[in-house]
Amino acid sequence: MADSGRARRAADSVTRARDIDRAQVSTVLDAAYAEGQLGAQEYHDRVDRAGSARTLGELERLTADLQSPAFFGGHPPAERKRFGRGHAGAYPARTRARDADRARTTAALDAARADGQLDADEHATLTESADKARTLGDLSTLVAELQQRPVVPVKPKARNTFRIVTVAAAVVVAIVGFVWTVREDEPASAAATPAPINYDAASPLVIPTPVLTTLAGFVQFRDDYRTKFGDTLVDEAVLHDEHASAVRRAPGKENWTAAYTYRGGFDRSNSQITTRKRDAVDIDLAQVNAEALGAALANAAATVRVPDGKITHLRIAVDSWVGRPGITIFVRNEVAQSGDLVLALSGEVLSIDPYEG
């Protein structure tokens, strides 16, 4: 088995990559960046390398140290075994950490400070290190001596698609056979009697959520956000076509934050609250110049010079490159050509990172 694995990797190292392979890797990098596994410079560098990769081996190296993005069905962390024994499905220590992993580590440090395992100086030092940690191994070291350690991310299990389809087909056949048997056994008079029709029953009114990477989608998100929380203040929001996430101050806890997911409505993404970052600021979505944002979204592909480009997602946060709240618009096409631009909330263009093709 080990020899076959080495043989496969050797073959992949020289096998030519397709455009769809490059596009899939770029999509994984997009999700990893949104989750905090990659910094901005690393993200742009890897995306550029993915776009020019010639072999599957080159592409594999770009994602080898990443966790499976939660956007693509990554499993929630499983409970860690006691006494430091590793979980069978745990990622290697070199795997990049997500913002959620750093948040869980910070929560464990906060709990340890509260119950006396850490003094104030130790807590401050370890918390700062957690904020800067790049890998799961870095985070694990910070909590290795604690009695209660955070849960460990595990790799998603591969799904046996053929087995699922086969079982589903068998179930359908069984149901159809049962229904046919029951119908044959029914008396003729009963079978001929139609079920009463309730003409007063009205179909539910379904109002689809607009694509969130459009102006209409952003406005819908902002209105729903105001309805849910009573204000439009957010630390960070990321909007994809059909779902979004938001981080804001936790209710009644000024120095803590809570994370939420949005799919036409808001739900807590986890049950924990975490320490608010020292450099976090309240970003008021009400201050976004909707007219300017709409114009930027409409012209985004042309602005960043991505042929046939489409917007993958928006990120509203304090941008590390410009040092102030901004709206980053990410654009990509089917052959992994990409670019992005950053707007101030007022609509002023703060930076443009075009595709250099």
Side-chain angles (χ1 to χ4, degrees):
M1 294 296 290
D3 290 340
S4 63
R6 283 193 291 270
R8 181 186 60 79
R9 288 192 292 273
D12 285 350
S13 68
V14 297
T15 302
R16 292 299 183 100
R18 303 168 297 175
D19 285 339
I20 191 172
D21 300 320
R22 286 182 279 267
Q24 288 172 344
V25 168
S26 296
T27 302
V28 171
L29 294 173
D30 288 344
Y33 174 60
E35 292 177 345
Q37 297 189 58
L38 297 174
Q41 187 59 48
E42 291 176 305
Y43 165 71
H44 290 298
D45 177 63
R46 294 195 189 197
V47 165
D48 290 341
R49 289 161 59 191
S52 59
R54 294 173 59 83
T55 68
L56 294 179
E58 293 176 52
L59 291 175
E60 184 177 1
R61 286 191 289 275
L62 295 176
T63 59
D65 62 342
L66 301 178
Q67 298 183 54
S68 177
F71 299 138
F72 305 124
H75 289 194
E79 289 295 336
R80 179 173 181 163
K81 294 183 179 181
R82 298 183 63 184
F83 309 119
R85 292 176 292 176
H87 192 283
Y91 287 100
R94 69 177 183 277
T95 305
R96 293 299 183 97
R98 299 171 176 160
D99 286 339
D101 302 320
R102 284 182 278 270
R104 280 191 292 271
T105 299
T106 299
L109 294 171
D110 292 341
R113 171 71 180 110
D115 64 18
Q117 296 185 62
L118 300 174
D119 62 29
D121 291 339
E122 290 173 323
H123 176 262
T125 300
L126 292 174
T127 299
E128 183 176 358
S129 298
D131 288 340
K132 298 177 181 178
R134 292 167 58 84
T135 68
L136 294 178
D138 295 337
L139 292 176
S140 178
T141 300
L142 298 176
V143 297
E145 298 178 353
L146 301 184
Q147 293 188 32
Q148 300 296 329
R149 285 164 280 180
V151 292
V152 175
V154 295
K155 299 177 183 178
K157 295 181 180 179
R159 297 180 179 178
N160 190 333
T161 305
F162 176 78
R163 182 178 180 183
I164 293 173
V165 172
T166 302
V167 173
V171 171
V172 170
V173 170
I175 293 174
V176 170
F178 173 77
V179 172
W180 184 260
T181 302
V182 171
R183 290 186 60 186
E184 286 186 339
D185 292 342
E186 287 180 346
S189 59
T193 303
I197 300 176
N198 182 4
Y199 291 100
D200 294 328
S203 300
L205 177 62
V206 178
I207 303 176
T209 302
V211 174
L212 298 177
T213 52
T214 64
L215 177 58
F218 167 77
V219 171
Q220 180 72 55
F221 172 84
R222 183 172 61 181
D223 290 346
D224 290 347
Y225 190 94
R226 182 186 290 110
T227 300
K228 170 69 175 180
F229 302 108
D231 60 44
T232 50
L233 301 179
V234 65
D235 282 11
E236 179 185 37
V238 180
L239 282 68
H240 294 262
D241 282 353
E242 298 180 354
H243 64 89
S245 62
V247 177
R248 60 175 280 121
R249 291 179 188 267
K253 298 181 181 292
E254 289 298 304
N255 296 322
W256 298 74
T257 60
Y260 298 85
T261 57
Y262 174 82
R263 293 181 182 273
F266 287 91
D267 291 307
R268 284 284 292 275
S269 59
N270 56 60
S271 59
Q272 294 181 333
I273 60 174
T274 58
T275 304
R276 194 167 188 247
K277 295 180 180 179
R278 295 183 180 86
D279 58 351
V281 299
D282 290 319
I283 300 172
D284 191 351
L285 299 178
Q287 294 182 359
V288 174
N289 184 328
E291 182 178 353
L293 175 61
L297 293 174
N299 299 305
T303 302
V304 299
R305 302 201 293 270
V306 176
D308 299 320
K310 295 183 179 180
I311 297 171
T312 59
H313 60 288
L314 316 177
R315 180 174 182 265
I316 304 171
V318 175
D319 188 271
S320 58
W321 290 94
V322 299
R324 57 188 286 196
I327 307 171
T328 306
I329 303 173
F330 297 90
V331 179
R332 178 174 301 283
N333 63 17
E334 293 183 352
V335 293
Q337 296 168 340
S338 64
D340 62 74
L341 69 150
V342 182
L343 301 179
L345 302 187
S346 63
E348 172 192 359
V349 176
L350 300 178
S351 70
I352 299 177
D353 184 14
Y355 169 68
E356 302 291 349

